Amino acid sequence: MRSKGILKRIMCAALAGVMAFSMTACGGSGSGDSSEPIKVGLLHSLTGSMAISEVSVRDAEVLAINEINEAGGVLGRQIEYVEEDGASDPSTFATKAEKLIVDDEVATVFGCWTSSSRKAVKSVFEDYENLLWYPVQYEGMEDSSNIMYMGAAPNQQIVPAIEYLIDQGYKKFFLLGSDYVFPRTANMIINAQCKAAGVEVVGEEYADMEQTDFSSIISKIEAAKPDVIINTLNGTGNVSFFKQLAEKNYTSDDLMTMSFSIAEEEVATIGADILKGHMVSWNYYMTTDTERNKEFVEAYQKAYGKDRVTSDPAEAAYDAVYMWAAACEKAESTDVEDILEVVDGLSIEAPEGTITVNGENHHISKPVRIGQVSEDGKINEIYATEKPVEPDPYLTTYDWAVEAGVQPLE
């Protein structure tokens, strides 16, 4: 790990602009018994179909906790994490969330990936008045006072990606997703957006989360002859789909895809030789050119190995721990009620750039970046917004979404 001096600087930089507090405070003094650690929960799929994506998110959270502890902790106290495996199953996530809150008495929880797992635990956090820090882009159409949405809302990923494709001349879209709430809601949004823009959706198919045979879906794609596939598959489904496309000798030159759940971790698993040239939409890439990101990547690889890659969800999870720490310092408390009183307008300097909490909906202002997979497995930015985009989870500022009656799917 880095020296304590560098870690103190990172911690202070993350909290800069949030509040005026002394270097002594940043180093560890504060309210509470310094001999008693603050317990937090980590809740991710360490097994099952989603482990391919969620393990790196968990690792980023642990890195942030270790950095903050080495810099002096939060309010002069060390952070102790209690970890549970959601096992890629929503009901297991709900059970484990309750255990963390009731039995382990954690101050907060960092966790989940799929919208199914988030929705499964939502009522648990609301019932027990605890707080979940959710790290992944999602379909929107939700806000909860007991969830902090650290990933992109649809207007910070889905909508700008479709706008970009239309601007690039794509006119025939095939929608492919896993069969759960995120892909179905995303595709409802995309259908409305494409209709308003005068471009055509030529097919829409869904695969079970555990599905490994995509031959029939690929046949339907071939028959539809799309310009681009909008891919909202999650987990191991992405591995099977792209490898089976490659077996039929399809490349991005023949059949372009725009993916919303493929980041650097998935590229490393599927293979850059298969994914090169394909596009993705996120808010952060390992190649994002900020000083804070250089520090993050260096620390991540030092902790977990030089071959490990960072990703948007991992970065958002890392940010979540720092944002929670900043909120605790500002509130001078780890109590959820106190934290919620101070989060509006809370900012930190994250690897992706400056991010700020919108206190009305608990989402984050974020830059939007379209990326393309290169031969070396990196994702290079090919488009970015000039400044962070304010979150609009219900798309109320988009006339075409309002006219189409876009709404939550339950």
Side-chain angles (χ1 to χ4, degrees):
M1 297 300 292
R2 303 179 189 186
S3 69
K4 182 174 289 188
I6 294 175
L7 284 168
K8 281 177 178 283
R9 179 176 60 79
I10 291 172
M11 183 62 177
C12 289
L15 302 178
V18 177
M19 72 213 91
F21 62 100
S22 69
M23 287 298 292
T24 302
C26 186
S29 67
S31 62
D33 181 359
S34 61
S35 65
E36 181 182 348
I38 304 168
K39 287 201 293 185
V40 303
L42 306 185
L43 180 57
H44 292 291
S45 295
L46 306 180
T47 58
S49 62
M50 288 307 302
I52 179 180
S53 297
E54 293 192 58
V55 169
S56 62
V57 175
R58 171 265 182 202
D59 289 346
E61 291 162 352
V62 172
L63 174 64
I65 289 169
N66 290 339
E67 287 182 347
I68 293 169
N69 280 341
E70 193 166 339
V74 173
L75 299 173
R77 300 165 62 188
Q78 293 287 285
I79 308 168
E80 175 186 305
Y81 66 88
V82 182
E83 189 168 22
E84 291 293 342
D85 180 8
S88 305
D89 175 66
S91 62
T92 301
F93 268 93
T95 300
K96 297 295 188 178
E98 187 169 25
K99 174 193 175 293
L100 287 169
I101 296 168
V102 177
D103 297 341
D104 298 307
E105 299 182 335
V106 297
T108 198
V109 176
F110 305 93
C112 299
W113 177 297
T114 66
S115 288
S116 296
S117 63
R118 187 194 69 254
K119 286 185 176 294
V121 305
K122 180 173 175 285
S123 62
V124 176
F125 284 91
E126 291 171 345
D127 289 346
Y128 288 104
E129 298 182 351
N130 204 284
L131 187 60
L132 171 70
W133 297 78
Y134 179 63
V136 187
Q137 43 64 251
Y138 83 118
E139 71 283 354
M141 307 296 141
E142 180 180 298
D143 64 279
S144 170
S145 60
N146 296 92
I147 300 177
M148 300 298 298
Y149 302 84
M150 297 298 295
N155 73 306
Q156 297 167 314
Q157 186 200 31
I158 298 168
V159 172
I162 300 303
E163 290 175 346
Y164 176 81
L165 291 172
I166 293 171
D167 288 344
Q168 295 299 307
Y170 292 92
K171 297 180 179 179
K172 297 174 68 177
F173 294 67
F174 193 103
L175 312 185
L176 171 62
S178 299
D179 192 7
Y180 74 103
V181 64
F182 166 59
R184 287 192 174 274
T185 308
N187 288 341
M188 174 183 63
I189 293 168
I190 294 167
N191 271 293
Q193 186 178 2
C194 286
K195 183 179 179 180
V199 297
E200 186 180 3
V201 174
V202 297
E204 184 172 341
E205 290 291 327
Y206 297 92
D208 293 338
M209 285 293 290
E210 306 292 336
Q211 187 167 325
T212 58
D213 183 359
F214 285 83
S215 57
S216 63
I217 287 178
I218 291 174
S219 294
K220 291 177 181 178
I221 293 171
E222 290 171 326
K225 295 180 169 48
D227 296 332
V228 62
I229 300 169
I230 307 301
N231 172 35
T232 50
L233 292 172
N234 264 271
T236 54
N238 273 314
V239 180
S240 299
F241 173 66
F242 278 100
K243 288 190 173 181
Q244 287 166 40
L245 273 186
E247 287 169 2
K248 301 199 73 172
N249 296 317
Y250 285 115
T251 69
S252 60
D253 291 331
D254 308 309
L255 199 54
M256 178 61 74
T257 65
M258 170 68 80
S259 296
F260 297 146
S261 294
I262 286 184
E264 287 84 349
E265 192 76 26
E266 290 74 23
V267 173
T269 301
I270 297 169
D273 57 327
I274 292 175
L275 288 176
K276 64 182 178 181
H278 288 288
M279 291 186 285
V280 297
S281 178
W282 294 100
N283 312 107
Y284 162 92
Y285 302 111
M286 189 171 176
T287 55
T288 294
D289 188 17
T290 69
E291 286 302 314
R292 188 71 180 90
N293 187 42
K294 292 174 184 177
E295 296 171 341
F296 171 51
V297 172
E298 178 186 349
Y300 191 86
Q301 292 186 328
K302 187 172 183 179
Y304 301 116
K306 64 180 181 179
D307 295 329
R308 289 292 300 275
V309 293
T310 60
S311 65
D312 184 289
E315 187 261 355
Y318 179 83
D319 296 345
V321 180
Y322 272 98
M323 191 71 84
W324 168 77
C328 291
E329 293 283 357
K330 186 174 183 180
E332 299 182 347
S333 171
T334 62
D335 291 345
V336 170
E337 184 177 352
D338 295 333
I339 286 172
L340 294 179
E341 289 182 357
V342 303
V343 293
D344 188 20
L346 192 65
S347 294
I348 64 170
E349 193 62 30
E352 69 187 70
T354 302
I355 60 173
T356 305
V357 178
N358 182 308
E360 292 184 4
N361 56 38
H362 284 189
H363 291 66
I364 309 294
S365 63
K366 304 172 76 68
V368 177
R369 295 179 167 100
I370 306 297
Q372 191 164 34
V373 181
S374 62
E375 291 185 2
D376 61 3
K378 294 179 181 178
I379 300 177
N380 296 316
E381 181 182 301
I382 57 176
Y383 166 82
T385 54
E386 293 183 359
K387 59 183 181 179
V389 175
E390 288 298 318
D392 181 7
Y394 291 94
L395 299 176
T396 58
T397 60
Y398 293 82
D399 290 342
W400 55 262
V402 174
E403 292 171 4
V406 173
Q407 59 186 340
L409 295 180
E410 298 296 344

